Amino acid sequence: MTALKEELKRQIIEVLNLEDITPADIQDDEALFGEGLGLDSIDALELIVLMDKTYGIKLSDPKKGRDIFQSIETMATYISENRTK
Amino acid sequence: MLENPTIRKSCTIEQHRIVIDDKLIWSSGPHVPFSDFAKGAFHHLDIDYPKFYKMDALSKLAFLAAEYILQDEDKNELALVLANRSGSLDTDVKHQESIQNTDNYYPRPATFVYTLSNICAGEIAIRHGLQTEQAFFVAEEFPEETIFAYADYLLQSGKAKRVLCGWVEYFQEAYRAVLYLV
């Protein structure tokens, strides 16, 4: 799980062009949206593509995204339980 | 380009140089790609605006030109009238590449949102809190008469107190921005 979280942090920084942020700057339980990393709705769509492309997870219900994308911790948990890649 | 006595200020970005009213403000090395030039020009501004890094090249160019020309300027009731030749073609091509392979079909939302040329005007408006008129024209050459006539109409009709207008062109590393404040 620790390796998955680190991998996720690196991917998010790269895919979302988070300049001047390193994996060490992102806490596992830090909010990804709102006051945390400050991601926006387009970033959420990018995360959905990331889940599909990298882990073979298709999110058909957008409401689920709200829970899944709360933090690196919640993303990693969902991915480890549902990944097909 | 525009020759009118009401021009208060101009900003030109081309060939790795940023010039305000004929004065060189910043330049990078001559052989750096646009992405590095833009990043350097952004750092030179010393502002905190992370969304800059997510913009496409056309929006970065327009954002930088607006940022440099609007320093110390009143932005109250400021309208935008911009034009270019290639529209958003540079980003359109990138988007096309991302949907080319039907077996590996992953369109990038962050790319797709920039497949409209007037998005760059939107980025300027968001940054500076502009809620005024905006127009974006696509033309082979700078449509001087159209731009000036439109700007003049906005000023004469009281729809704006000032107009930021000009040319913002980017396609595959070839770029030129010339903005005027009237």
Side-chain angles (χ1 to χ4, degrees):
Chain A
M1 192 70 125
T2 303
L4 176 58
K5 288 177 192 170
E6 289 304 306
E7 181 182 291
L8 267 177
K9 290 175 185 177
R10 283 197 303 275
Q11 288 172 333
I12 286 173
I13 289 169
E14 182 187 342
V15 169
L16 304 185
N17 293 322
L18 302 180
E19 195 78 14
D20 300 329
I21 290 180
T22 68
D25 296 327
I26 306 174
Q27 304 303 311
D28 291 352
D29 58 352
E30 182 181 6
L32 296 177
F33 293 84
E35 290 184 4
L37 272 187
L39 305 187
D40 60 22
S41 57
I42 300 300
D43 295 325
L45 293 174
E46 285 286 351
L47 292 183
I48 290 172
V49 174
L50 171 71
M51 297 276 274
D52 187 1
K53 188 176 182 179
T54 311
Y55 303 106
I57 298 172
K58 289 188 186 298
L59 290 180
S60 53
D61 182 2
K63 289 177 186 171
K64 273 189 175 178
R66 191 168 295 180
D67 297 327
I68 298 165
F69 297 140
Q70 272 184 11
S71 65
I72 292 293
E73 186 78 47
T74 56
M75 273 189 80
T77 300
Y78 188 83
I79 289 168
S80 62
E81 291 171 353
N82 294 279
R83 65 189 301 173
T84 60
K85 284 185 186 176
Chain B
M1 282 190 178
L2 209 59
E3 290 182 11
N4 188 285
T6 59
I7 293 174
R8 298 181 55 253
K9 197 175 183 182
S10 69
C11 174
T12 302
I13 301 180
E14 61 183 342
Q15 298 179 333
H16 310 96
R17 293 156 55 91
I18 298 175
V19 175
I20 302 277
D21 290 338
D22 299 325
K23 182 183 175 189
L24 179 64
I25 300 298
W26 188 81
S27 66
S28 72
H31 303 299
V32 299
F34 175 77
S35 57
D36 291 346
F37 165 77
K39 191 172 176 180
F42 179 71
H43 284 164
H44 181 69
L45 286 164
D46 195 25
I47 54 173
D48 183 24
Y49 199 72
K51 190 160 191 293
F52 175 81
Y53 298 109
K54 301 184 182 193
M55 296 178 193
D56 73 342
L58 177 63
S59 288
K60 282 181 178 172
L61 179 62
F63 178 95
L64 287 170
E67 202 67 29
Y68 276 94
I69 198 172
L70 291 176
Q71 281 183 327
D72 304 320
E73 294 292 337
D74 180 7
K75 296 158 207 164
N76 184 36
E77 296 189 53
L78 175 72
L80 292 173
V81 184
L82 304 176
N84 78 359
R85 178 182 301 122
S86 302
S88 59
L89 187 58
D90 186 75
T91 300
D92 297 348
V93 170
K94 289 184 173 71
H95 177 61
Q96 167 70 21
E97 289 168 355
S98 77
I99 60 174
Q100 194 77 30
N101 187 345
T102 52
D103 296 327
N104 190 29
Y105 185 82
Y106 293 105
R108 291 285 311 274
T111 304
F112 177 72
V113 293
Y114 287 101
T115 56
L116 281 173
S117 48
N118 61 344
I119 298 297
C120 69
E123 292 289 8
I124 295 171
I126 292 168
R127 163 65 179 161
H128 297 286
L130 309 180
Q131 298 182 346
T132 44
E133 295 271 337
Q134 280 185 39
F136 197 104
F137 298 90
V138 177
E140 195 62 33
E141 302 294 338
F142 181 62
E144 180 178 329
E145 286 187 16
T146 303
I147 296 283
F148 182 71
Y150 198 89
D152 191 49
Y153 158 72
L154 292 172
L155 295 170
Q156 296 298 330
S157 63
K159 292 182 182 295
K161 287 182 178 171
R162 294 174 178 197
V163 182
L164 181 61
C165 53
W167 183 256
V168 186
E169 164 68 13
Y170 182 96
F171 184 60
Q172 296 181 340
E173 291 292 321
Y175 62 91
R176 186 179 194 218
V178 186
L179 293 190
Y180 306 99
L181 195 57
V182 297

